């Protein structure tokens, strides 16, 4: 190796004021100084040591922790009392609604009882019964027709029940006393009663239950 190859060529450093005059520095300065919506290239200093105050999650140390414990405790107590008051108010409103509904039902029942009693109030000193207590004849009214239909149905059921008992007690078909065959024809069943036209129309209209 020759001496020329071993010679180190030291480059004299360029001062900063000279560097600022170079084309590269001029171009970077021009790009950094652009305004409006141009993209700004971050500098080396911003990348290595960024400013924490520019971050979205930045929070001051004084605001990071709460130190006023008395105010915090007072706020918790106020929230607790407000919640208890809200629950108490809801219960009170529900109780008031139940009371109002109860008394409305009571008044409705009383009105129904009064109206029901008014329908049976006699006029001109007449009896409120559906029949004449002297002659025992049914009155020519809707209540009289209903009472007649009820009595006829009761008599019909009585005769049918009597015939069934007579047949079930003597299933062999003979009289146990005299030994003669039973005559079921001696116990005729009456015809099934039918409501009057006025009563049937009232039942169809729903004014009277069937």
């Amino acid at each position: 190796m020759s001496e020329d190859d071993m010679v180190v060529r030291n480059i004299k450093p360029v001062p900063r004021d000279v560097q600022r005059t170079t084309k590269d520095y001029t171009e970077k300065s021009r790009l950094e100084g652009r305004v409006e919506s141009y993209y700004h290239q971050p500098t080396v200093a911003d990348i290595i040591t960024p400013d924490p105050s520019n971050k979205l999650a930045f929070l001051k140390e004084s605001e990071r922790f709460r130190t006023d414990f008395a105010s915090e405790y007072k706020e918790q107590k106020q929230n607790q009392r407000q919640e208890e008051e809200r629950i108490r108010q809801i219960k009170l409103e529900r109780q008031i609604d139940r009371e109002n509904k109860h008394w409305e039902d009571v008044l409705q029942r009383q009105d129904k009882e009064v109206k029901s009693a008014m329908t049976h109030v006699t006029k001109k000193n007449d009896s409120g019964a559906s029949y004449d207590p002297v002659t025992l004849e049914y009155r020519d009214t809707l209540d009289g027709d209903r009472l007649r239909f009820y009595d006829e149905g009761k008599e019909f059921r009585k005769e049918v029940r009597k015939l069934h008992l007579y047949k079930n007690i003597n299933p062999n078909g003979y009289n146990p006393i005299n030994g003669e065959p039973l005559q079921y024809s001696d116990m005729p069943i009456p015809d099934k009663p039918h409501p009057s036209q006025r009563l049937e129309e009232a039942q169809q209209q729903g004014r009277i239950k069937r």
Side-chain angles (χ1 to χ4, degrees):
M1 181 180 296
S2 62
E3 294 180 359
D4 295 336
D5 295 335
M6 297 178 62
V7 174
V8 178
R9 301 182 62 183
N10 294 327
I11 300 176
K12 186 178 181 180
V14 180
R16 290 187 179 276
D17 54 351
V18 178
Q19 291 181 3
R20 292 191 180 95
T21 59
T22 60
K23 180 180 179 181
D24 183 62
Y25 181 80
T26 303
E27 185 67 21
K28 290 182 179 180
S29 300
R30 186 182 67 81
L31 293 175
E32 290 179 1
R34 289 192 302 180
V35 294
E36 297 181 358
S37 59
Y38 293 101
Y39 174 74
H40 293 274
Q41 185 71 21
T43 59
V44 178
D46 293 338
I47 296 175
I48 297 175
T49 57
D51 187 5
S53 61
N54 294 331
K55 296 181 180 180
L56 297 176
F58 175 74
L59 188 65
K60 296 181 180 179
E61 291 295 333
S62 59
E63 299 177 357
R64 190 178 298 276
F65 301 101
R66 297 189 61 176
T67 57
D68 192 359
F69 300 103
S71 300
E72 183 178 1
Y73 181 74
K74 181 180 179 181
E75 184 178 354
Q76 291 178 357
K77 284 295 183 181
Q78 288 179 352
N79 295 336
Q80 184 179 359
R81 284 195 295 269
Q82 290 177 359
E83 183 66 18
E84 293 176 355
E85 183 64 25
R86 186 182 67 84
I87 295 174
R88 189 182 301 108
Q89 188 68 22
I90 292 175
K91 291 182 179 179
L92 180 61
E93 292 177 357
R94 291 179 179 176
Q95 184 177 1
I96 292 174
D97 293 340
R98 286 196 298 267
E99 287 291 331
N100 293 335
K101 188 176 184 303
H102 168 70
W103 288 111
E104 287 178 0
D105 295 340
V106 171
L107 293 176
Q108 289 179 0
R109 286 199 301 269
Q110 290 179 353
D111 292 341
K112 289 182 179 179
E113 291 176 359
V114 171
K115 291 179 180 179
S116 177
M118 290 295 293
T119 55
H120 296 286
V121 173
T122 59
K123 297 180 180 179
K124 296 182 181 180
N125 201 20
D126 290 338
S127 174
S130 301
Y131 61 93
D132 191 342
V134 178
T135 61
L136 299 181
E137 295 290 337
Y138 297 103
R139 296 188 183 276
D140 190 14
T141 59
L142 182 61
D143 292 336
D145 294 345
R146 181 170 57 179
L147 181 60
R148 180 188 291 107
F149 178 69
Y150 175 78
D151 292 341
E152 291 176 354
K154 183 170 61 175
E155 291 295 329
F156 172 75
R157 290 190 297 272
K158 182 180 70 174
E159 295 296 330
V160 172
R161 183 168 58 253
K162 182 170 62 175
L163 179 60
H164 288 172
L165 289 175
Y166 185 71
K167 290 181 178 180
N168 293 331
I169 291 174
N170 303 294
N172 52 6
Y174 291 92
N175 191 331
I177 298 177
N178 53 22
E180 296 180 356
L182 298 177
Q183 300 294 332
Y184 296 111
S185 60
D186 296 340
M187 302 178 63
I189 300 177
D191 296 334
K192 186 176 181 180
H194 297 282
S196 62
Q197 184 178 0
R198 178 169 48 189
L199 180 60
E200 188 173 2
E201 291 177 356
Q203 290 177 349
Q204 292 177 356
Q205 294 175 2
R207 292 183 295 167
I208 297 178
K209 294 183 179 180
R210 295 181 180 272

